[in-house]
Amino acid sequence: MLFPATGNSASMAAKIPAEKSGKCQCETHHSKSILYQILNKEHGSETKWRQQYCSPHCSTRSKGCPCLDRRRVVLRTPEATCRRASEVLLKTSTFIRNLPSFYHMPWEDQFVLIQRNWAPLFVLGMAQEGVDFDLREIPDTSLLKKILLNQSSTAMNELGSSSAGASLAEVQKMKNLLWKFWELDISAKEYAYLKGIILFNSECCVLRWLPYVQSLQQEAQKALMEFISTMFHGSLGRFSSILQLIMSLRDIDAGAIEELFFRPIPGEATLNVLLTETLYIKPDWLGKQMTSE
């Protein structure tokens, strides 16, 4: 049975934080009627969203909010940003091509390492090149709006199944990592050692030359530690902080990167094909596999 709220209970409810009341924090910012949201969504929601989620250190209020996983974003300036992302990918491939130790390995091992590690390498390249980007949230078409617009059931199904855009939670995670790298002001040599550590990451990989790859990663880690020890007077705190960032890089979703930076690129080629072509990795077994698909 429902009772009208008294003055005291209404004021107490207003003072309860969203996280304690069990309500999604995004709901507390959009408490107007459904019709009001439909009529005003295009005008006000984007500005409020940018204030909450586009700051260098994204608002802590958004942490743990399940809405971030459902909300989708795209690049605000896709043409310019995708061009810079492609340049980062090209520079990353150039770095790999200049590593003789990489091309001493069998073709299969080269392909597996690139396929498993291209995403953290790409984000590291974005950090080195100082590539920041603005986002635009994709409006969520409500059921009432579909009804008011007299959309057919087919059109409604198409809208409901659309997967355009990347997860706001994943993109926010990536932007936070970029800012952490920039705060550390990492040098070019440190970036080179970090790329070696990431490229020769053999965890969960089936490699023919596994011991060789492991030795290359250990060599890169040792070189980074010695460089930091020399440049920062024997302090290894920076080394520890950088290694923690590397671990976080491995949690970045490769699908979100592809959706955000490479899906807008015209053409039907998958990112795996673009990567192998960029790196000139075209072994016979890979060509047969692509042909059969």
Side-chain angles (χ1 to χ4, degrees):
M1 184 173 182
L2 299 178
F3 297 92
T6 63
N8 291 335
S9 60
S11 61
M12 289 176 63
K15 295 178 182 178
I16 298 177
E19 60 271 17
K20 292 186 179 180
S21 65
K23 296 183 67 176
C24 170
Q25 295 169 14
C26 297
E27 279 185 41
T28 63
H29 294 295
H30 300 84
S31 57
K32 302 290 185 180
S33 68
I34 298 177
L35 184 58
Y36 180 90
Q37 292 181 46
I38 293 174
L39 296 177
N40 292 274
K41 193 169 188 177
E42 299 296 331
H43 300 288
S45 62
E46 186 172 319
T47 301
K48 184 177 294 184
W49 177 82
R50 285 175 59 82
Q51 292 173 348
Q52 290 181 24
Y53 302 108
C54 291
S55 60
H57 306 280
C58 296
S59 173
T60 56
R61 293 183 303 172
S62 64
K63 291 183 179 179
C65 177
C67 289
L68 296 186
D69 292 323
R70 297 192 297 267
R71 297 167 72 175
R72 316 297 291 182
V73 293
V74 293
L75 296 170
R76 178 171 291 278
T77 55
E79 184 176 351
T81 307
C82 288
R83 182 169 58 249
R84 295 206 65 187
S86 298
E87 291 171 355
V88 168
L89 191 65
L90 179 60
K91 289 184 178 181
T92 301
S93 68
T94 301
F95 169 82
I96 297 175
R97 283 202 301 268
N98 291 332
L99 293 175
S101 55
F102 182 77
Y103 284 100
H104 286 162
M105 292 186 293
W107 286 111
E108 296 90 339
D109 286 359
Q110 293 179 36
F111 180 73
V112 169
L113 288 176
I114 290 175
Q115 190 178 43
R116 295 293 183 91
N117 302 316
W118 76 264
L121 280 172
F122 173 79
V123 176
L124 191 65
M126 295 277 283
Q128 184 174 11
E129 298 300 319
V131 180
D132 200 359
F133 49 91
D134 292 325
L135 302 168
R136 177 175 60 84
E137 185 174 8
I138 300 176
D140 182 21
T141 305
S142 67
L143 178 60
L144 180 57
K145 186 173 183 178
K146 295 173 185 177
I147 295 174
L148 293 176
L149 295 176
N150 294 321
Q151 292 179 322
S152 65
S153 58
T154 303
M156 290 172 65
N157 290 333
E158 289 177 356
L159 283 170
S161 62
S162 175
S163 60
S167 163
L168 173 58
E170 290 298 329
V171 177
Q172 179 176 305
K173 187 192 305 181
M174 180 168 57
K175 286 179 75 72
N176 285 342
L177 269 177
L178 289 175
W179 278 96
K180 288 178 181 178
F181 275 106
W182 294 332
E183 283 180 342
L184 285 174
D185 194 21
I186 296 177
S187 66
K189 279 193 174 182
E190 288 174 310
Y191 273 117
Y193 297 139
L194 288 175
K195 290 176 183 177
I197 294 172
I198 293 174
L199 176 63
F200 297 116
N201 173 36
S202 58
E203 294 180 5
C204 303
C205 291
V206 180
L207 301 173
R208 292 174 57 186
W209 286 20
L210 180 60
Y212 176 70
V213 173
Q214 291 174 336
S215 67
L216 291 174
Q217 187 183 55
Q218 292 171 2
E219 183 180 336
Q221 289 177 341
K222 182 180 178 181
L224 176 63
M225 183 174 62
E226 291 177 350
F227 176 81
I228 291 177
S229 179
T230 301
M231 297 299 296
F232 295 89
H233 311 292
S235 174
L236 295 181
R238 180 180 179 85
F239 179 72
S240 176
S241 298
I242 291 177
L243 287 186
Q244 288 178 1
L245 288 182
I246 290 179
M247 297 299 294
S248 299
L249 277 176
R250 295 172 185 171
D251 294 333
I252 296 294
D253 180 33
I257 295 176
E258 183 174 1
E259 185 70 43
L260 191 65
F261 297 106
F262 298 101
R263 189 74 67 191
I265 297 177
E268 299 180 355
T270 65
L271 186 57
N272 277 339
V273 174
L274 292 175
L275 286 169
T276 53
E277 288 183 350
T278 302
L279 294 167
Y280 306 127
I281 299 178
K282 298 180 181 179
D284 294 337
W285 68 271
L286 180 59
K288 293 178 182 178
Q289 179 181 350
M290 291 178 179
T291 303
S292 61
E293 291 177 354

PDB file of all heavy atoms in Angstrom, residues 272-289:
ATOM      1  N   ASN A 272      42.476  -7.583 -38.100  1.00  0.00           N
ATOM      2  CA  ASN A 272      43.539  -8.587 -38.184  1.00  0.00           C
ATOM      3  C   ASN A 272      44.217  -8.564 -39.547  1.00  0.00           C
ATOM      4  O   ASN A 272      45.444  -8.686 -39.660  1.00  0.00           O
ATOM      5  CB  ASN A 272      42.978  -9.990 -37.911  1.00  0.00           C
ATOM      6  CG  ASN A 272      42.876 -10.283 -36.432  1.00  0.00           C
ATOM      7  OD1 ASN A 272      43.551  -9.655 -35.618  1.00  0.00           O
ATOM      8  ND2 ASN A 272      42.031 -11.239 -36.081  1.00  0.00           N
ATOM      9  N   VAL A 273      43.413  -8.400 -40.596  1.00  0.00           N
ATOM     10  CA  VAL A 273      43.979  -8.328 -41.950  1.00  0.00           C
ATOM     11  C   VAL A 273      44.813  -7.061 -42.094  1.00  0.00           C
ATOM     12  O   VAL A 273      45.918  -7.084 -42.662  1.00  0.00           O
ATOM     13  CB  VAL A 273      42.856  -8.365 -43.006  1.00  0.00           C
ATOM     14  CG1 VAL A 273      43.432  -8.144 -44.403  1.00  0.00           C
ATOM     15  CG2 VAL A 273      42.106  -9.692 -42.941  1.00  0.00           C
ATOM     16  N   LEU A 274      44.299  -5.935 -41.579  1.00  0.00           N
ATOM     17  CA  LEU A 274      45.055  -4.689 -41.653  1.00  0.00           C
ATOM     18  C   LEU A 274      46.387  -4.810 -40.927  1.00  0.00           C
ATOM     19  O   LEU A 274      47.421  -4.333 -41.402  1.00  0.00           O
ATOM     20  CB  LEU A 274      44.230  -3.544 -41.050  1.00  0.00           C
ATOM     21  CG  LEU A 274      42.971  -3.123 -41.807  1.00  0.00           C
ATOM     22  CD1 LEU A 274      42.201  -2.078 -41.015  1.00  0.00           C
ATOM     23  CD2 LEU A 274      43.339  -2.573 -43.184  1.00  0.00           C
ATOM     24  N   LEU A 275      46.369  -5.458 -39.772  1.00  0.00           N
ATOM     25  CA  LEU A 275      47.601  -5.621 -38.999  1.00  0.00           C
ATOM     26  C   LEU A 275      48.617  -6.475 -39.748  1.00  0.00           C
ATOM     27  O   LEU A 275      49.794  -6.111 -39.851  1.00  0.00           O
ATOM     28  CB  LEU A 275      47.287  -6.268 -37.646  1.00  0.00           C
ATOM     29  CG  LEU A 275      46.615  -5.379 -36.602  1.00  0.00           C
ATOM     30  CD1 LEU A 275      46.117  -6.216 -35.437  1.00  0.00           C
ATOM     31  CD2 LEU A 275      47.580  -4.318 -36.098  1.00  0.00           C
ATOM     32  N   THR A 276      48.172  -7.593 -40.280  1.00  0.00           N
ATOM     33  CA  THR A 276      49.107  -8.474 -40.973  1.00  0.00           C
ATOM     34  C   THR A 276      49.642  -7.837 -42.253  1.00  0.00           C
ATOM     35  O   THR A 276      50.813  -8.002 -42.592  1.00  0.00           O
ATOM     36  CB  THR A 276      48.437  -9.819 -41.314  1.00  0.00           C
ATOM     37  OG1 THR A 276      47.216  -9.579 -42.023  1.00  0.00           O
ATOM     38  CG2 THR A 276      48.115 -10.589 -40.048  1.00  0.00           C
ATOM     39  N   GLU A 277      48.803  -7.084 -42.938  1.00  0.00           N
ATOM     40  CA  GLU A 277      49.267  -6.407 -44.141  1.00  0.00           C
ATOM     41  C   GLU A 277      50.242  -5.287 -43.796  1.00  0.00           C
ATOM     42  O   GLU A 277      51.243  -5.080 -44.481  1.00  0.00           O
ATOM     43  CB  GLU A 277      48.075  -5.854 -44.929  1.00  0.00           C
ATOM     44  CG  GLU A 277      47.251  -6.921 -45.616  1.00  0.00           C
ATOM     45  CD  GLU A 277      46.126  -6.342 -46.443  1.00  0.00           C
ATOM     46  OE1 GLU A 277      45.877  -5.121 -46.313  1.00  0.00           O
ATOM     47  OE2 GLU A 277      45.500  -7.096 -47.201  1.00  0.00           O
ATOM     48  N   THR A 278      49.932  -4.550 -42.728  1.00  0.00           N
ATOM     49  CA  THR A 278      50.817  -3.469 -42.312  1.00  0.00           C
ATOM     50  C   THR A 278      52.179  -3.994 -41.931  1.00  0.00           C
ATOM     51  O   THR A 278      53.219  -3.372 -42.197  1.00  0.00           O
ATOM     52  CB  THR A 278      50.206  -2.717 -41.111  1.00  0.00           C
ATOM     53  OG1 THR A 278      48.926  -2.221 -41.482  1.00  0.00           O
ATOM     54  CG2 THR A 278      51.096  -1.546 -40.693  1.00  0.00           C
ATOM     55  N   LEU A 279      52.216  -5.181 -41.313  1.00  0.00           N
ATOM     56  CA  LEU A 279      53.478  -5.750 -40.850  1.00  0.00           C
ATOM     57  C   LEU A 279      54.113  -6.668 -41.893  1.00  0.00           C
ATOM     58  O   LEU A 279      55.130  -7.295 -41.616  1.00  0.00           O
ATOM     59  CB  LEU A 279      53.232  -6.536 -39.556  1.00  0.00           C
ATOM     60  CG  LEU A 279      52.795  -5.673 -38.367  1.00  0.00           C
ATOM     61  CD1 LEU A 279      52.280  -6.559 -37.252  1.00  0.00           C
ATOM     62  CD2 LEU A 279      53.933  -4.816 -37.869  1.00  0.00           C
ATOM     63  N   TYR A 280      53.504  -6.744 -43.056  1.00  0.00           N
ATOM     64  CA  TYR A 280      54.023  -7.599 -44.124  1.00  0.00           C
ATOM     65  C   TYR A 280      54.111  -9.053 -43.698  1.00  0.00           C
ATOM     66  O   TYR A 280      55.013  -9.788 -44.108  1.00  0.00           O
ATOM     67  CB  TYR A 280      55.404  -7.124 -44.595  1.00  0.00           C
ATOM     68  CG  TYR A 280      55.436  -5.680 -45.005  1.00  0.00           C
ATOM     69  CD1 TYR A 280      56.358  -4.806 -44.461  1.00  0.00           C
ATOM     70  CD2 TYR A 280      54.514  -5.182 -45.926  1.00  0.00           C
ATOM     71  CE1 TYR A 280      56.374  -3.460 -44.817  1.00  0.00           C
ATOM     72  CE2 TYR A 280      54.522  -3.842 -46.284  1.00  0.00           C
ATOM     73  CZ  TYR A 280      55.454  -2.996 -45.728  1.00  0.00           C
ATOM     74  OH  TYR A 280      55.464  -1.673 -46.081  1.00  0.00           O
ATOM     75  N   ILE A 281      53.193  -9.501 -42.842  1.00  0.00           N
ATOM     76  CA  ILE A 281      53.172 -10.893 -42.422  1.00  0.00           C
ATOM     77  C   ILE A 281      52.144 -11.603 -43.273  1.00  0.00           C
ATOM     78  O   ILE A 281      50.942 -11.500 -43.021  1.00  0.00           O
ATOM     79  CB  ILE A 281      52.838 -11.020 -40.926  1.00  0.00           C
ATOM     80  CG1 ILE A 281      53.890 -10.302 -40.099  1.00  0.00           C
ATOM     81  CG2 ILE A 281      52.731 -12.467 -40.508  1.00  0.00           C
ATOM     82  CD1 ILE A 281      53.611 -10.340 -38.615  1.00  0.00           C
ATOM     83  N   LYS A 282      52.603 -12.295 -44.310  1.00  0.00           N
ATOM     84  CA  LYS A 282      51.686 -12.977 -45.219  1.00  0.00           C
ATOM     85  C   LYS A 282      52.182 -14.402 -45.498  1.00  0.00           C
ATOM     86  O   LYS A 282      52.491 -14.748 -46.635  1.00  0.00           O
ATOM     87  CB  LYS A 282      51.564 -12.208 -46.539  1.00  0.00           C
ATOM     88  CG  LYS A 282      50.986 -10.806 -46.374  1.00  0.00           C
ATOM     89  CD  LYS A 282      50.886 -10.115 -47.709  1.00  0.00           C
ATOM     90  CE  LYS A 282      50.346  -8.704 -47.559  1.00  0.00           C
ATOM     91  NZ  LYS A 282      50.256  -7.989 -48.851  1.00  0.00           N
ATOM     92  N   PRO A 283      52.292 -15.210 -44.469  1.00  0.00           N
ATOM     93  CA  PRO A 283      52.716 -16.596 -44.696  1.00  0.00           C
ATOM     94  C   PRO A 283      51.659 -17.368 -45.465  1.00  0.00           C
ATOM     95  O   PRO A 283      50.486 -17.001 -45.477  1.00  0.00           O
ATOM     96  CB  PRO A 283      52.874 -17.142 -43.277  1.00  0.00           C
ATOM     97  CG  PRO A 283      51.974 -16.294 -42.448  1.00  0.00           C
ATOM     98  CD  PRO A 283      51.990 -14.930 -43.068  1.00  0.00           C
ATOM     99  N   ASP A 284      52.065 -18.476 -46.095  1.00  0.00           N
ATOM    100  CA  ASP A 284      51.137 -19.262 -46.910  1.00  0.00           C
ATOM    101  C   ASP A 284      49.971 -19.786 -46.087  1.00  0.00           C
ATOM    102  O   ASP A 284      48.824 -19.758 -46.528  1.00  0.00           O
ATOM    103  CB  ASP A 284      51.884 -20.434 -47.558  1.00  0.00           C
ATOM    104  CG  ASP A 284      52.912 -19.945 -48.579  1.00  0.00           C
ATOM    105  OD1 ASP A 284      52.736 -18.822 -49.084  1.00  0.00           O
ATOM    106  OD2 ASP A 284      53.875 -20.679 -48.844  1.00  0.00           O
ATOM    107  N   TRP A 285      50.272 -20.241 -44.846  1.00  0.00           N
ATOM    108  CA  TRP A 285      49.204 -20.831 -44.034  1.00  0.00           C
ATOM    109  C   TRP A 285      48.153 -19.786 -43.662  1.00  0.00           C
ATOM    110  O   TRP A 285      46.970 -20.090 -43.579  1.00  0.00           O
ATOM    111  CB  TRP A 285      49.780 -21.473 -42.766  1.00  0.00           C
ATOM    112  CG  TRP A 285      50.352 -20.490 -41.790  1.00  0.00           C
ATOM    113  CD1 TRP A 285      51.625 -20.025 -41.740  1.00  0.00           C
ATOM    114  CD2 TRP A 285      49.661 -19.841 -40.720  1.00  0.00           C
ATOM    115  NE1 TRP A 285      51.781 -19.118 -40.713  1.00  0.00           N
ATOM    116  CE2 TRP A 285      50.601 -18.999 -40.070  1.00  0.00           C
ATOM    117  CE3 TRP A 285      48.352 -19.868 -40.243  1.00  0.00           C
ATOM    118  CZ2 TRP A 285      50.248 -18.202 -38.972  1.00  0.00           C
ATOM    119  CZ3 TRP A 285      48.021 -19.083 -39.144  1.00  0.00           C
ATOM    120  CH2 TRP A 285      48.977 -18.264 -38.527  1.00  0.00           C
ATOM    121  N   LEU A 286      48.595 -18.493 -43.497  1.00  0.00           N
ATOM    122  CA  LEU A 286      47.649 -17.451 -43.152  1.00  0.00           C
ATOM    123  C   LEU A 286      46.805 -17.090 -44.368  1.00  0.00           C
ATOM    124  O   LEU A 286      45.605 -16.857 -44.260  1.00  0.00           O
ATOM    125  CB  LEU A 286      48.391 -16.224 -42.634  1.00  0.00           C
ATOM    126  CG  LEU A 286      47.531 -15.019 -42.231  1.00  0.00           C
ATOM    127  CD1 LEU A 286      46.549 -15.418 -41.135  1.00  0.00           C
ATOM    128  CD2 LEU A 286      48.399 -13.868 -41.761  1.00  0.00           C
ATOM    129  N   GLY A 287      47.456 -17.043 -45.540  1.00  0.00           N
ATOM    130  CA  GLY A 287      46.712 -16.715 -46.750  1.00  0.00           C
ATOM    131  C   GLY A 287      45.633 -17.751 -47.057  1.00  0.00           C
ATOM    132  O   GLY A 287      44.526 -17.426 -47.442  1.00  0.00           O
ATOM    133  N   LYS A 288      45.964 -19.044 -46.839  1.00  0.00           N
ATOM    134  CA  LYS A 288      44.974 -20.093 -47.065  1.00  0.00           C
ATOM    135  C   LYS A 288      43.823 -19.976 -46.086  1.00  0.00           C
ATOM    136  O   LYS A 288      42.662 -20.198 -46.434  1.00  0.00           O
ATOM    137  CB  LYS A 288      45.648 -21.446 -46.927  1.00  0.00           C
ATOM    138  CG  LYS A 288      46.667 -21.734 -48.028  1.00  0.00           C
ATOM    139  CD  LYS A 288      47.344 -23.082 -47.802  1.00  0.00           C
ATOM    140  CE  LYS A 288      48.399 -23.352 -48.880  1.00  0.00           C
ATOM    141  NZ  LYS A 288      49.099 -24.653 -48.637  1.00  0.00           N
ATOM    142  N   GLN A 289      44.162 -19.622 -44.839  1.00  0.00           N
ATOM    143  CA  GLN A 289      43.119 -19.493 -43.815  1.00  0.00           C
ATOM    144  C   GLN A 289      42.142 -18.370 -44.170  1.00  0.00           C
ATOM    145  O   GLN A 289      40.934 -18.509 -44.054  1.00  0.00           O
ATOM    146  CB  GLN A 289      43.763 -19.202 -42.445  1.00  0.00           C
ATOM    147  CG  GLN A 289      42.749 -19.030 -41.334  1.00  0.00           C
ATOM    148  CD  GLN A 289      43.418 -18.731 -40.002  1.00  0.00           C
ATOM    149  OE1 GLN A 289      44.630 -18.832 -39.863  1.00  0.00           O
ATOM    150  NE2 GLN A 289      42.615 -18.353 -39.038  1.00  0.00           N
TER     151      GLN A 289
END
